[in-house]
């Protein structure tokens, strides 16, 4: 007769304790990594603001080049681009949309906000102030004052406006 107590049965698989340990480790990893992937909206808003800044920088360079060609690189005047009059201060676009200069149609001259054509409607991404300096804020920012671009007028002949961006509150 066979002795059953000496027979070893080999089992394959994981014990319940091993499975519980693996599940706990996966849960800890998920809880640690999830916030990194969940809060991407602030990064997206900051990227939108960076894109708008790039558009503003390009527009400023274009208007400055045009003002040099038209000979209005100092003082307040207007430059004409595609039939529209853009208000310039020292050869750079003015901040506000209705800052007149001495050129033709100066009272209706468009500033930087009209040049970059930012959608500031209720459904748009931006809230803009038509003032000096022009403030362009993200409409759904956590803190609007800390998610904005500030565009001032040029302070003198040949001095490019210092455009600042703050994305800390996006």
């Amino acid at each position: 007769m066979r002795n059953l107590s000496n027979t070893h049965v080999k089992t394959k698989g994981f014990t319940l304790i091993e499975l519980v340990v693996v599940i706990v480790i996966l849960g800890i990893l998920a809880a640690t990594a999830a916030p990194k992937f969940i809060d991407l909206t602030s990064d997206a808003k900051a990227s939108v603001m960076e894109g708008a800044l790039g558009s503003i920088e390009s527009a400023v360079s274009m208007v400055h080049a045009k003002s040099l060609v038209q000979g209005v690189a100092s003082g307040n005047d207007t430059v004409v681009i595609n039939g529209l009059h853009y208000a310039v201060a020292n050869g750079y676009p003015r901040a506000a949309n209705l800052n007149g200069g001495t050129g033709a149609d100066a009272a209706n001259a468009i500033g930087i906000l009209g040049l970059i054509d930012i959608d500031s409607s209720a459904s748009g991404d931006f809230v803009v102030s038509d003032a000096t300096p022009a403030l362009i804020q993200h409409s759904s920012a956590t803190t609007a004052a800390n998610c904005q671009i500030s565009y001032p007028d040029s302070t003198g002949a040949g001095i490019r406006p210092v455009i600042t961006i703050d994305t800390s509150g996006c």
Side-chain angles (χ1 to χ4, degrees), residues 22-66:
V22 168
I23 290 171
V24 167
I25 290 172
L26 288 175
I28 291 170
L29 288 174
T32 305
K36 199 89 159 132
F37 298 105
I38 290 173
D39 191 24
L40 295 179
T41 56
S42 63
D43 292 339
K45 291 173 192 169
S47 295
V48 166
M49 296 303 288
E50 293 285 342
L53 176 65
S55 296
I56 292 169
E57 292 283 356
S58 296
V60 167
S61 296
M62 179 183 70
V63 170
H64 182 64
K66 188 70 171 185

Side-chain angles (χ1 to χ4, degrees), residues 70 78-87 104-105 108-110 114-115:
Q70 291 182 1
T78 59
V79 294
V80 180
I81 302 173
N82 292 332
L84 296 174
H85 295 267
Y86 294 95
D105 198 24
N108 295 319
I110 301 169
L115 186 64

Side-chain angles (χ1 to χ4, degrees), residues 77-155:
D77 210 334
T78 59
V79 294
V80 180
I81 302 173
N82 292 332
L84 296 174
H85 295 267
Y86 294 95
V88 294
N90 302 308
Y92 292 98
R94 294 197 58 130
N97 276 345
L98 296 175
N99 279 330
T102 58
D105 198 24
N108 295 319
I110 301 169
I112 189 68
L113 299 176
L115 186 64
I116 58 176
D117 193 27
I118 285 183
D119 179 14
S120 61
S121 66
S123 62
D125 286 334
F126 301 101
V127 175
V128 297
S129 70
D130 188 14
T132 303
L135 297 178
I136 302 155
Q137 300 173 327
H138 200 286
S139 61
S140 61
T142 305
T143 308
N146 292 338
C147 189
Q148 72 179 4
I149 299 169
S150 175
Y151 179 86
D153 284 341
S154 171
T155 57

